[in-house]
Each structure stands twice: as structure tokens, then as C-alpha cells.
Amino acid sequence: MKKMLFVYNPRSGKGLIRSHISAILETFSAGGYEVTVYPTRKGKDASNIVEERAAEFEVIVCSGGDGTLDEVVTGLMHSGERRRIGYIPAGSTNDFGNSLGIPKQMEQAAELIVQGEPFSCDIGKFNEDYFVYVAAFGFLTDVSYQTNQELKNVLGHTAYLIEGMKRVGSWKSYSLRIESDEFQDEGEFMYGMITNSTSVGGFKGLPGKNIELNDGLFEVMLVRTPQNLVDWQEVLTAVVMKDESSKNVVRFKTRRLVITSDEPVAWTRDGENGGEHTLVEMTNLHQMLDIMTGPVPEGTAQEAAV
């Protein structure tokens, strides 16, 4: 029998997986897998177990939020092994699962792991760590993840504007130097987002248009610090409308990006704490992750919703 490591976070999504675990394991067993089950107990558990034992298994499956997936991929990269990954989304946002079209229904996601095909997508290296779909800093990171999901579902990008306007005047500015082949600048920025996803923080289309998950390029959005209320309103509108002509919102694609600062800047990686850094070097690892999906969209391009 083929060997599978199944790592799951029993606390994700208010413990939703507990009522599905039996059906999931039956699906894996029927698919010809001998399954080793590992429920996580604390942070970094998933990363550590995968790094230590990846060589023993043909497939590594995880269930939890995007942070759990981040840990599993990080552990796999540190192990030096290349293994197929299966993902059963169980968090509150599940940006990357949505980008790949992985079913929200857990039993269907498990069936996809058994019957689907591996899709080789890009991931990011972040100094000596990794991220699956987003690394970000600054004010709007908080807005993305703290806006009520029901409001997002009903109002879409308008919810982003509403939540952002509540925070006017409370942003922090960072003096940064940005270096890539496509863009170089030095100045005051309040937000930065480096992505490989069609949604961030539950907002579909926020990273931009015509996104390909396996093209070897990140989508980058940098927001200059607004000087007044008019600039602030223009920033929020440009972010939501994906306006590439805005003087305050810079968008470009790149394979590699270096950001330096005089003072430590707090980052998030895949929605989780990414630490504080004065130097961040990000490199796109082209088609480095083999993740089980259904039929890959034609041309592998996934155009974000407007």
C-alpha cells in the first residue's frame, strides 16, 4: 500500500474536522493508502513532523487553515524531499484552496486527493523561510483579515473600503528601499503585499488580474503613505479597483524582490506571524509545490474576479 501522512489541526474552523475525520480516513483507505494520522497540538507541530518524516511517505495531506498548509510546506522544503501534497481546507479564509478550486466540502476534498492530479505551482522563499501564497506588511494586512467574513460575502470589495475608512489616521509609515529588476524606489510606504493567489484575506481579486499560479512570478502591490484624506481615499479605491495608474499604489510582477528598512517591520506569511525584519529577500520558487487538484484551468491561468 502507498503510505500517507495526514496532519490536521483539530482547532481550525472551530473544530469542524472532528465530525468528518472518519469519512476522510475511509476515503484514503479505499484509495489504497496506509495512513499515519498526526493531530497538531501547538504551533510548528506540522512543520516539525513533516521535516522529520517526509521521506517515509509518498503523499503528505494536511487539513486546517492556510497557516497549517504553510507549516506543512515549510517542513517539506526544509526536509529536502519532494512529495505530493494534499489539502483539505478547514480554516475561516482558505485563500489558497479557493485559488486552486479545492472543494470546501471536506469529503469532496479528500476524494480529490485520491482521484485528482498533481499541479506544480509556485511558492515563495522568504529569507530562510517559505510562504505558500502571500507575504505582507503594514496597515491593510490587518484590514484584510479582521473584516467580518459575512460582510465580505455580501459587499465584496466595498467591505474593504468600509473597514479601511474606519482606520483612517491610525496607519504606520515605513521608510523602505525596494529593489527588483522591474521596480526600484526608496520612500515612505504603509503597506506591501507579495502574492501568488487569486484572493487574500477572503477578498477575491485583491492581488490583481490575470493571475497564474505557476508562471514563476509574484504579484506585488505596494502602497505609498497617504499625505492627506484625499490621498487616503484614492489609495483605497485604487486597491479595490486594481488601478495600475495610481501614483500611490504600485503594482508589478517579479521573480525576486528585496525590501530593506532602518527599523524592524512586522510581516505576515500566509496570514500568520512572519516576524520582524529589516531585510527581506523574496524569491519565487517556480513550480516547486506539487499539490493535488482537479482539472487544471486551461493555460493554468486563473483570472481574478473583478
Side-chain angles (χ1 to χ4, degrees), residues 130-257:
Y130 301 89
F131 62 97
V132 177
Y133 76 99
V134 61
F137 71 87
F139 174 80
L140 295 176
T141 305
D142 180 59
V143 172
S144 296
Y145 288 95
Q146 293 196 13
T147 303
N148 182 276
Q149 185 62 51
E150 292 183 2
L151 198 61
K152 295 176 192 176
N153 294 340
V154 174
L155 299 179
H157 290 133
T158 304
Y160 198 92
L161 287 169
I162 292 171
E163 189 66 23
M165 291 305 294
K166 291 179 184 177
R167 316 285 185 88
V168 170
S170 65
W171 66 78
K172 180 176 174 61
S173 182
Y174 304 92
S175 181
L176 305 177
R177 179 169 179 79
I178 314 294
E179 299 174 87
S180 76
D181 289 341
E182 296 79 7
F183 179 80
Q184 301 83 38
D185 196 12
E186 190 168 354
E188 295 293 317
F189 295 85
M190 60 172 281
Y191 180 69
M193 180 173 72
I194 296 85
T195 64
N196 188 48
S197 176
T198 61
S199 70
V200 169
F203 288 99
K204 292 182 179 180
L206 192 61
K209 302 176 182 178
N210 301 319
I211 294 169
E212 297 186 34
L213 305 182
N214 63 348
D215 62 356
L217 299 172
F218 296 125
E219 281 69 40
V220 179
M221 180 172 72
L222 300 167
V223 179
R224 301 184 192 278
T225 304
Q227 300 302 306
N228 50 53
L229 184 59
V230 173
D231 277 355
W232 173 248
Q233 292 173 323
E234 192 269 342
V235 161
L236 286 175
T237 302
V239 168
V240 168
M241 300 306 295
K242 300 177 284 295
D243 181 4
E244 297 183 3
S245 65
S246 168
K247 69 180 189 299
N248 291 313
V249 180
V250 179
R251 292 182 182 269
F252 60 95
K253 294 176 183 280
T254 189
R255 181 189 65 84
R256 180 178 174 271
L257 180 70

Side-chain angles (χ1 to χ4, degrees), residues 7 11 38-50 71:
V7 180
R11 295 167 297 282
Y38 187 88
T40 62
R41 296 181 294 275
K42 60 183 183 299
K44 306 302 181 183
D45 253 8
S47 181
N48 291 337
I49 191 67
V50 172
E71 282 200 27

